[in-house]
Amino acid sequence: MNGRVENCVCENNIYGIYLLDSPDNNTITNNICSNNYHGIYLCFSHNNAITNNICSNNAWYGIALYPYTSNNTLDNNTCSNNLCGICICFWSENNIVLNNTCSNNAYGISLSDSDNDILDNNTCSSNFRGIYLEKSGDVKMRNNTLLSNQYNFGVTGTTISHFVHDIDPSNLVDGKPICYLVDNEDEVIAPSLDIGYLALVNCDNIRVNNLTLGNNEQGILFISTNNSWVEN
């Protein structure tokens, strides 16, 4: 409790920095973790702050919360040339991920089997996947920039709850807004909106006309949506 790891250089380890079963008010800040198997790894650890770290050239994760690792804040970290820049997996909930830069990873930011996390003002560029949400619910996304990734944005899952998120048009895919509609009806999605990604979740009577969409997991995603059309 109330521990602090600061201004360390951790290289050529299995784990650069590893927190196991470490709840409450630990701070990991201004460290460099490179050429490890994992950069910074939190496991069964809650209410911690991971800020201003550089995690690069790690074989797997730049920063990982995995599993059952909740209520942490990841702020202003730089993660590059890892398999996954920031990975939040397996029942790691209510985490806040903001102001991070993830580039040249296979996955910029990846959430899997984790609910109620917040992604705010992150930049993911030149990754294979930018932001990827897998079997996670109620994710809130604001002001994220996805740029020049092979696949900028995508959502996958096995039940409708995995697709119910709060994602507004402040999130940009190659400079164009994400249009993520939940419980909408009687709308027309036309080229004038100039969107970069479209999801319709539990919608009704939506007409989609004349869009050009590319470089995402899905160009257009329909989940539990009825009486709707995609044309031209």
Side-chain angles (χ1 to χ4, degrees):
M1 299 172 64
N2 298 305
R4 190 174 183 90
V5 180
E6 185 173 12
N7 298 325
C8 296
V9 176
C10 301
E11 297 179 334
N12 301 306
N13 306 286
I14 298 296
Y15 300 94
I17 298 172
Y18 184 42
L19 269 65
L20 171 64
D21 194 21
S22 299
D24 294 333
N25 301 316
N26 295 294
T27 298
I28 300 173
T29 188
N30 293 317
N31 302 286
I32 297 173
C33 296
S34 61
N35 296 299
N36 304 288
Y37 203 67
H38 308 293
I40 298 172
Y41 197 113
L42 277 64
C43 181
F44 299 102
S45 297
H46 317 295
N47 303 305
N48 301 294
I50 300 93
T51 66
N52 301 310
N53 301 284
I54 297 173
C55 299
S56 62
N57 298 298
N58 298 289
W60 277 81
Y61 307 122
I63 300 173
L65 310 182
Y66 173 24
Y68 294 105
T69 299
S70 300
N71 298 299
N72 299 285
T73 299
L74 281 61
D75 185 6
N76 200 40
N77 301 285
T78 299
C79 300
S80 61
N81 295 297
N82 309 285
L83 177 65
C84 185
I86 294 173
C87 181
I88 300 176
C89 294
F90 300 120
W91 313 287
S92 296
E93 302 179 344
N94 300 303
N95 296 289
I96 300 174
V97 180
L98 72 161
N99 304 319
N100 300 284
T101 300
C102 299
S103 60
N104 295 299
N105 306 285
Y107 293 80
I109 299 174
S110 177
L111 272 61
S112 181
D113 293 282
S114 296
D115 299 336
N116 300 303
D117 294 303
I118 296 174
L119 307 180
D120 188 358
N121 201 42
N122 302 287
T123 299
C124 296
S125 62
S126 301
N127 304 286
F128 182 71
R129 284 188 170 99
I131 292 179
Y132 181 56
L133 311 180
E134 178 187 19
K135 293 189 287 186
S136 300
D138 293 315
V139 175
K140 183 177 180 178
M141 289 178 53
R142 294 290 187 273
N143 302 301
N144 297 286
T145 299
L146 307 174
L147 182 66
S148 299
N149 303 285
Q150 181 67 48
Y151 302 105
N152 284 296
F153 181 64
V155 184
T156 63
T158 55
T159 69
I160 188 171
S161 65
H162 295 149
F163 297 89
V164 177
H165 302 294
D166 179 4
I167 301 172
D168 78 359
S170 68
N171 300 283
L172 301 180
V173 169
D174 288 330
K176 298 182 178 183
I178 293 175
C179 183
Y180 202 99
L181 304 181
V182 180
D183 296 328
N184 287 47
E185 60 183 22
D186 303 326
E187 294 191 30
V188 176
I189 310 299
S192 60
L193 297 176
D194 196 27
I195 61 174
Y197 178 93
L198 175 61
L200 306 177
V201 180
N202 200 34
C203 293
D204 186 73
N205 192 31
I206 308 293
R207 186 178 293 273
V208 181
N209 294 326
N210 299 300
L211 299 183
T212 300
L213 301 166
N215 297 108
N216 295 296
E217 191 82 13
Q218 310 94 2
I220 300 173
L221 176 66
F222 271 41
I223 301 295
S224 191
T225 289
N226 300 304
N227 303 311
S228 298
W229 297 265
V230 178
E231 57 189 359
N232 298 326

